[in-house]
Amino acid sequence: MRLAAQFSTAEQKRLLKQLPAFPSPDDLIAGTGPWEVELGFGKGKFLLRSALQHPERRYLGIEVVSKYYRLLDRRARRQGADNLMVVRGEALYLLSTVLPQGFASVLHVYFPDPWPKQRHRKRRLFDSETVDLVLGLLRPGGRLFFATDFLEYGELVYDLLRLYPGLTLERREAPWPDGARTNYEAKYIVEGRPILRLEGHLAADATVGSLHPEGVPGIVAAMAARQEDGS
Ligand SMILES: C[S@@+](CC[C@H](N)C(=O)[O-])C[C@H]1O[C@@H](n2cnc3c(N)ncnc32)[C@H](O)[C@@H]1O
């Protein structure tokens, strides 16, 4: 098999045209309401409840574990949540290949895996390599909700996001007004664990796909590190 880099640009364009286009989520769900997206929904409590409470909005959930994907898909169909679409897949892959920039009016990320070991950090949903991809999903005027119990990671995400162009970021000192949103949050509240919650608002005149100042140096540093450790 030839690698992409071995094809000329003209060949690549010709081959890409032969691929079937991914259907847009807009074509798969009826309605015209704004999209809210949750990455890594786990058992899907937040998405299902929100979709049932707000039939005027549309919800898209992305989850990499098949068991959770099937659980929420089954529950959503059983309860008639026709405005909820669930996709099994790796969020960063789907963001870079399927979802258009500026697609979501609200983005939810609750208790993402913190990957504390140094060698696993490149899997994090938020870091300097991925922040442009993830935040690029938000349309101008959109909102971001984030929570974690892994405070060290939360502080890094806070530091990273507050430099994102056009994003106003606040730490929430109190729980969400609607209570525990997800299973992890409910469990951690009962255990009395501290939780770091962030709420971001992208300016209405922000440019879709703005680049974070750390984005490019982050990618260059990551590529160099990967070459060194051979991954
Ligand atoms: C710690 S759990 C939190 C689940 C849920 N958000 C909650 O708060 O209850 C993290 C979830 O994210 C999913 N996940 C982790 N990395 C992912 C990725 N790159 N793409 C999609 N899902 C991912 C995991 O499978 C897991 O269900």
Side-chain angles (χ1 to χ4, degrees):
M1 188 172 65
R2 278 200 287 166
L3 296 172
Q6 295 172 284
F7 289 102
S8 70
T9 311
E11 271 181 308
Q12 286 180 37
K13 281 191 181 152
R14 186 177 54 76
L15 289 167
L16 279 175
K17 273 197 199 138
Q18 292 172 10
L19 289 175
F22 283 113
S24 157
D26 273 326
D27 302 330
L28 299 175
I29 278 196
T32 53
W35 281 100
E36 298 202 15
V37 176
E38 184 179 359
L39 306 180
F41 56 72
K43 292 188 178 166
K45 169 186 160 122
F46 172 74
L47 276 179
L48 183 57
R49 192 182 61 197
S50 304
L52 292 170
Q53 277 174 356
H54 299 285
E56 76 287 1
R57 302 183 197 162
R58 292 179 290 180
Y59 291 85
L60 170 67
I62 298 176
E63 168 58 55
V64 77
V65 172
S66 318
K67 176 175 74 170
Y68 294 147
Y69 155 75
R70 284 197 301 271
L71 180 78
L72 182 58
D73 189 42
R74 215 171 33 239
R75 284 186 177 159
R77 272 187 281 138
R78 209 185 297 140
Q79 299 191 36
D82 299 332
N83 54 337
L84 169 58
M85 181 175 163
V86 285
V87 174
R88 194 199 74 76
E90 208 285 319
L92 293 175
Y93 175 73
L94 290 169
L95 287 178
S96 62
T97 52
V98 182
L99 292 173
Q101 284 191 325
F103 173 78
S105 60
V106 188
L107 176 60
H108 303 268
V109 183
Y110 301 118
F111 303 91
D113 293 332
W115 300 112
K117 288 190 183 151
Q118 184 67 38
R119 68 177 188 281
H120 292 150
R121 288 201 177 158
K122 55 195 166 202
R123 299 181 192 168
R124 284 178 169 174
L125 263 184
F126 283 103
D127 72 10
S128 52
E129 286 172 73
T130 55
V131 63
D132 291 326
L133 188 59
V134 177
L135 269 280
L137 190 68
L138 265 191
R139 75 177 192 200
R143 282 175 309 143
L144 165 77
F145 294 97
F146 172 91
T148 183
D149 62 307
F150 200 84
L151 303 184
E152 195 187 316
Y153 177 43
E155 293 298 341
L156 288 175
V157 173
Y158 176 74
D159 280 344
L160 188 68
L161 292 183
R162 70 195 170 82
L163 294 180
Y164 189 79
L167 189 75
T168 310
L169 191 66
E170 282 176 21
R171 289 162 182 269
R172 279 193 70 92
E173 297 309 332
W176 311 115
D178 44 329
R181 290 190 167 172
T182 66
N183 280 71
Y184 270 72
E185 186 165 16
K187 186 172 97 171
Y188 292 153
I189 287 175
V190 170
E191 289 173 8
R193 276 206 221 189
I195 294 172
L196 188 149
R197 297 178 182 85
L198 301 176
E199 194 169 338
H201 187 194
L202 196 58
D205 60 357
T207 311
V208 172
S210 293
L211 294 181
H212 191 287
E214 280 183 27
V216 173
I219 290 168
V220 172
M223 283 168 66
R226 275 172 208 189
Q227 271 167 4
E228 268 171 30
D229 73 14
S231 58

PDB file of all heavy atoms in Angstrom, residues 8 27 52 60 72 86-87 100 110 112-113 127 138 159 192 198 209 214 219 226 229:
ATOM      1  N   SER A   8       1.018  12.115  -5.767  1.00  0.00           N
ATOM      2  CA  SER A   8       1.115  13.529  -6.119  1.00  0.00           C
ATOM      3  C   SER A   8      -0.182  14.227  -5.689  1.00  0.00           C
ATOM      4  O   SER A   8      -1.196  13.567  -5.444  1.00  0.00           O
ATOM      5  CB  SER A   8       1.283  13.674  -7.635  1.00  0.00           C
ATOM      6  OG  SER A   8       0.062  13.308  -8.248  1.00  0.00           O
ATOM      7  N   ASP A  27     -28.209  16.138   7.847  1.00  0.00           N
ATOM      8  CA  ASP A  27     -29.075  15.366   6.948  1.00  0.00           C
ATOM      9  C   ASP A  27     -29.660  14.143   7.641  1.00  0.00           C
ATOM     10  O   ASP A  27     -30.510  13.458   7.083  1.00  0.00           O
ATOM     11  CB  ASP A  27     -28.281  14.878   5.725  1.00  0.00           C
ATOM     12  CG  ASP A  27     -27.678  16.042   4.973  1.00  0.00           C
ATOM     13  OD1 ASP A  27     -28.285  17.125   5.010  1.00  0.00           O
ATOM     14  OD2 ASP A  27     -26.606  15.860   4.364  1.00  0.00           O
ATOM     15  N   LEU A  52     -34.434  15.050  25.880  1.00  0.00           N
ATOM     16  CA  LEU A  52     -35.861  14.917  26.200  1.00  0.00           C
ATOM     17  C   LEU A  52     -36.437  16.240  26.700  1.00  0.00           C
ATOM     18  O   LEU A  52     -37.572  16.591  26.404  1.00  0.00           O
ATOM     19  CB  LEU A  52     -36.070  13.812  27.243  1.00  0.00           C
ATOM     20  CG  LEU A  52     -35.778  12.390  26.735  1.00  0.00           C
ATOM     21  CD1 LEU A  52     -35.770  11.387  27.890  1.00  0.00           C
ATOM     22  CD2 LEU A  52     -36.784  11.959  25.672  1.00  0.00           C
ATOM     23  N   LEU A  60     -25.694  15.800  19.661  1.00  0.00           N
ATOM     24  CA  LEU A  60     -24.814  14.792  19.073  1.00  0.00           C
ATOM     25  C   LEU A  60     -23.826  14.347  20.149  1.00  0.00           C
ATOM     26  O   LEU A  60     -23.171  15.179  20.778  1.00  0.00           O
ATOM     27  CB  LEU A  60     -24.033  15.401  17.898  1.00  0.00           C
ATOM     28  CG  LEU A  60     -22.907  14.554  17.330  1.00  0.00           C
ATOM     29  CD1 LEU A  60     -23.437  13.299  16.658  1.00  0.00           C
ATOM     30  CD2 LEU A  60     -22.083  15.360  16.327  1.00  0.00           C
ATOM     31  N   LEU A  72     -26.701   4.023  25.147  1.00  0.00           N
ATOM     32  CA  LEU A  72     -27.416   5.292  24.953  1.00  0.00           C
ATOM     33  C   LEU A  72     -28.288   5.245  23.702  1.00  0.00           C
ATOM     34  O   LEU A  72     -29.413   5.753  23.699  1.00  0.00           O
ATOM     35  CB  LEU A  72     -26.426   6.468  24.867  1.00  0.00           C
ATOM     36  CG  LEU A  72     -27.091   7.832  24.702  1.00  0.00           C
ATOM     37  CD1 LEU A  72     -28.058   8.142  25.842  1.00  0.00           C
ATOM     38  CD2 LEU A  72     -26.059   8.942  24.596  1.00  0.00           C
ATOM     39  N   VAL A  86     -26.248   9.538  18.285  1.00  0.00           N
ATOM     40  CA  VAL A  86     -25.038   9.073  18.956  1.00  0.00           C
ATOM     41  C   VAL A  86     -24.118   8.398  17.947  1.00  0.00           C
ATOM     42  O   VAL A  86     -24.571   7.697  17.051  1.00  0.00           O
ATOM     43  CB  VAL A  86     -25.330   8.119  20.142  1.00  0.00           C
ATOM     44  CG1 VAL A  86     -25.855   8.882  21.330  1.00  0.00           C
ATOM     45  CG2 VAL A  86     -26.282   7.024  19.768  1.00  0.00           C
ATOM     46  N   VAL A  87     -22.844   8.641  18.122  1.00  0.00           N
ATOM     47  CA  VAL A  87     -21.852   8.113  17.190  1.00  0.00           C
ATOM     48  C   VAL A  87     -20.779   7.411  18.002  1.00  0.00           C
ATOM     49  O   VAL A  87     -20.331   7.951  19.019  1.00  0.00           O
ATOM     50  CB  VAL A  87     -21.205   9.265  16.377  1.00  0.00           C
ATOM     51  CG1 VAL A  87     -20.072   8.756  15.507  1.00  0.00           C
ATOM     52  CG2 VAL A  87     -22.238   9.983  15.542  1.00  0.00           C
ATOM     53  N   PRO A 100     -18.022  19.633  10.555  1.00  0.00           N
ATOM     54  CA  PRO A 100     -17.531  20.915  10.052  1.00  0.00           C
ATOM     55  C   PRO A 100     -17.157  21.864  11.186  1.00  0.00           C
ATOM     56  O   PRO A 100     -17.730  21.786  12.278  1.00  0.00           O
ATOM     57  CB  PRO A 100     -18.732  21.480   9.271  1.00  0.00           C
ATOM     58  CG  PRO A 100     -19.871  20.587   9.510  1.00  0.00           C
ATOM     59  CD  PRO A 100     -19.447  19.405  10.327  1.00  0.00           C
ATOM     60  N   TYR A 110     -17.278  16.486  29.895  1.00  0.00           N
ATOM     61  CA  TYR A 110     -17.340  16.236  31.336  1.00  0.00           C
ATOM     62  C   TYR A 110     -16.461  15.054  31.717  1.00  0.00           C
ATOM     63  O   TYR A 110     -16.622  13.956  31.183  1.00  0.00           O
ATOM     64  CB  TYR A 110     -18.794  15.973  31.760  1.00  0.00           C
ATOM     65  CG  TYR A 110     -19.702  17.136  31.420  1.00  0.00           C
ATOM     66  CD1 TYR A 110     -20.764  16.992  30.540  1.00  0.00           C
ATOM     67  CD2 TYR A 110     -19.455  18.405  31.959  1.00  0.00           C
ATOM     68  CE1 TYR A 110     -21.580  18.074  30.214  1.00  0.00           C
ATOM     69  CE2 TYR A 110     -20.263  19.490  31.632  1.00  0.00           C
ATOM     70  CZ  TYR A 110     -21.308  19.313  30.762  1.00  0.00           C
ATOM     71  OH  TYR A 110     -22.099  20.388  30.430  1.00  0.00           O
ATOM     72  N   PRO A 112     -13.272  14.194  31.147  1.00  0.00           N
ATOM     73  CA  PRO A 112     -12.513  13.472  30.120  1.00  0.00           C
ATOM     74  C   PRO A 112     -11.384  12.689  30.784  1.00  0.00           C
ATOM     75  O   PRO A 112     -10.878  13.102  31.840  1.00  0.00           O
ATOM     76  CB  PRO A 112     -11.947  14.600  29.244  1.00  0.00           C
ATOM     77  CG  PRO A 112     -11.893  15.789  30.143  1.00  0.00           C
ATOM     78  CD  PRO A 112     -13.046  15.647  31.099  1.00  0.00           C
ATOM     79  N   ASP A 113     -10.990  11.579  30.185  1.00  0.00           N
ATOM     80  CA  ASP A 113      -9.884  10.801  30.754  1.00  0.00           C
ATOM     81  C   ASP A 113      -8.664  11.710  30.892  1.00  0.00           C
ATOM     82  O   ASP A 113      -8.256  12.340  29.920  1.00  0.00           O
ATOM     83  CB  ASP A 113      -9.566   9.604  29.854  1.00  0.00           C
ATOM     84  CG  ASP A 113     -10.713   8.596  29.850  1.00  0.00           C
ATOM     85  OD1 ASP A 113     -11.443   8.529  30.864  1.00  0.00           O
ATOM     86  OD2 ASP A 113     -10.892   7.896  28.840  1.00  0.00           O
ATOM     87  N   ASP A 127      -5.197  19.655  24.749  1.00  0.00           N
ATOM     88  CA  ASP A 127      -3.815  20.075  24.961  1.00  0.00           C
ATOM     89  C   ASP A 127      -3.446  20.991  23.795  1.00  0.00           C
ATOM     90  O   ASP A 127      -4.310  21.282  22.954  1.00  0.00           O
ATOM     91  CB  ASP A 127      -2.854  18.893  25.165  1.00  0.00           C
ATOM     92  CG  ASP A 127      -2.583  18.119  23.914  1.00  0.00           C
ATOM     93  OD1 ASP A 127      -2.976  18.571  22.809  1.00  0.00           O
ATOM     94  OD2 ASP A 127      -1.975  17.064  23.999  1.00  0.00           O
ATOM     95  N   LEU A 138     -16.796  24.965  17.796  1.00  0.00           N
ATOM     96  CA  LEU A 138     -17.787  25.933  18.311  1.00  0.00           C
ATOM     97  C   LEU A 138     -18.044  27.046  17.302  1.00  0.00           C
ATOM     98  O   LEU A 138     -17.114  27.623  16.738  1.00  0.00           O
ATOM     99  CB  LEU A 138     -17.240  26.601  19.568  1.00  0.00           C
ATOM    100  CG  LEU A 138     -17.615  26.045  20.917  1.00  0.00           C
ATOM    101  CD1 LEU A 138     -17.181  27.023  21.993  1.00  0.00           C
ATOM    102  CD2 LEU A 138     -19.115  25.786  21.032  1.00  0.00           C
ATOM    103  N   ASP A 159      -5.522  27.096  31.852  1.00  0.00           N
ATOM    104  CA  ASP A 159      -4.451  27.949  31.325  1.00  0.00           C
ATOM    105  C   ASP A 159      -4.441  27.957  29.798  1.00  0.00           C
ATOM    106  O   ASP A 159      -4.163  28.971  29.170  1.00  0.00           O
ATOM    107  CB  ASP A 159      -3.086  27.459  31.831  1.00  0.00           C
ATOM    108  CG  ASP A 159      -2.849  27.939  33.259  1.00  0.00           C
ATOM    109  OD1 ASP A 159      -3.559  28.857  33.702  1.00  0.00           O
ATOM    110  OD2 ASP A 159      -1.964  27.366  33.922  1.00  0.00           O
ATOM    111  N   GLY A 192     -17.530  13.628  47.800  1.00  0.00           N
ATOM    112  CA  GLY A 192     -16.967  14.879  48.326  1.00  0.00           C
ATOM    113  C   GLY A 192     -15.673  15.292  47.642  1.00  0.00           C
ATOM    114  O   GLY A 192     -14.892  16.072  48.182  1.00  0.00           O
ATOM    115  N   LEU A 198     -15.505  24.607  34.294  1.00  0.00           N
ATOM    116  CA  LEU A 198     -15.211  25.786  33.479  1.00  0.00           C
ATOM    117  C   LEU A 198     -16.366  26.051  32.526  1.00  0.00           C
ATOM    118  O   LEU A 198     -17.018  25.112  32.036  1.00  0.00           O
ATOM    119  CB  LEU A 198     -13.948  25.564  32.641  1.00  0.00           C
ATOM    120  CG  LEU A 198     -12.655  25.262  33.390  1.00  0.00           C
ATOM    121  CD1 LEU A 198     -11.521  24.982  32.395  1.00  0.00           C
ATOM    122  CD2 LEU A 198     -12.271  26.450  34.281  1.00  0.00           C
ATOM    123  N   GLY A 209     -12.491  28.811  13.565  1.00  0.00           N
ATOM    124  CA  GLY A 209     -11.201  28.197  13.277  1.00  0.00           C
ATOM    125  C   GLY A 209     -10.019  29.068  13.653  1.00  0.00           C
ATOM    126  O   GLY A 209      -8.938  28.942  13.069  1.00  0.00           O
ATOM    127  N   GLU A 214      -0.450  28.787  21.226  1.00  0.00           N
ATOM    128  CA  GLU A 214       0.440  27.650  21.525  1.00  0.00           C
ATOM    129  C   GLU A 214       0.280  26.513  20.543  1.00  0.00           C
ATOM    130  O   GLU A 214       0.956  25.499  20.639  1.00  0.00           O
ATOM    131  CB  GLU A 214       0.144  27.105  22.925  1.00  0.00           C
ATOM    132  CG  GLU A 214       0.770  27.913  24.015  1.00  0.00           C
ATOM    133  CD  GLU A 214       0.511  27.296  25.378  1.00  0.00           C
ATOM    134  OE1 GLU A 214       0.315  26.069  25.459  1.00  0.00           O
ATOM    135  OE2 GLU A 214       0.484  28.062  26.337  1.00  0.00           O
ATOM    136  N   ILE A 219       2.415  21.614  18.372  1.00  0.00           N
ATOM    137  CA  ILE A 219       2.452  20.527  17.389  1.00  0.00           C
ATOM    138  C   ILE A 219       3.900  20.203  17.021  1.00  0.00           C
ATOM    139  O   ILE A 219       4.306  19.050  16.952  1.00  0.00           O
ATOM    140  CB  ILE A 219       1.633  20.913  16.136  1.00  0.00           C
ATOM    141  CG1 ILE A 219       0.145  20.921  16.520  1.00  0.00           C
ATOM    142  CG2 ILE A 219       1.877  19.951  14.992  1.00  0.00           C
ATOM    143  CD1 ILE A 219      -0.752  21.548  15.500  1.00  0.00           C
ATOM    144  N   ARG A 226       7.706  12.771  19.511  1.00  0.00           N
ATOM    145  CA  ARG A 226       7.305  11.465  18.966  1.00  0.00           C
ATOM    146  C   ARG A 226       8.422  10.836  18.151  1.00  0.00           C
ATOM    147  O   ARG A 226       8.605   9.631  18.159  1.00  0.00           O
ATOM    148  CB  ARG A 226       6.053  11.625  18.110  1.00  0.00           C
ATOM    149  CG  ARG A 226       4.842  11.572  18.988  1.00  0.00           C
ATOM    150  CD  ARG A 226       3.589  11.905  18.272  1.00  0.00           C
ATOM    151  NE  ARG A 226       2.683  12.463  19.251  1.00  0.00           N
ATOM    152  CZ  ARG A 226       1.418  12.719  19.038  1.00  0.00           C
ATOM    153  NH1 ARG A 226       0.893  12.479  17.885  1.00  0.00           N
ATOM    154  NH2 ARG A 226       0.667  13.209  19.991  1.00  0.00           N
ATOM    155  N   ASP A 229      10.787   9.308  20.728  1.00  0.00           N
ATOM    156  CA  ASP A 229      10.404   8.048  21.390  1.00  0.00           C
ATOM    157  C   ASP A 229       9.897   7.005  20.384  1.00  0.00           C
ATOM    158  O   ASP A 229       9.452   5.940  20.762  1.00  0.00           O
ATOM    159  CB  ASP A 229       9.421   8.274  22.560  1.00  0.00           C
ATOM    160  CG  ASP A 229       8.009   8.638  22.108  1.00  0.00           C
ATOM    161  OD1 ASP A 229       7.655   8.480  20.926  1.00  0.00           O
ATOM    162  OD2 ASP A 229       7.260   9.102  22.971  1.00  0.00           O
TER     163      ASP A 229
END
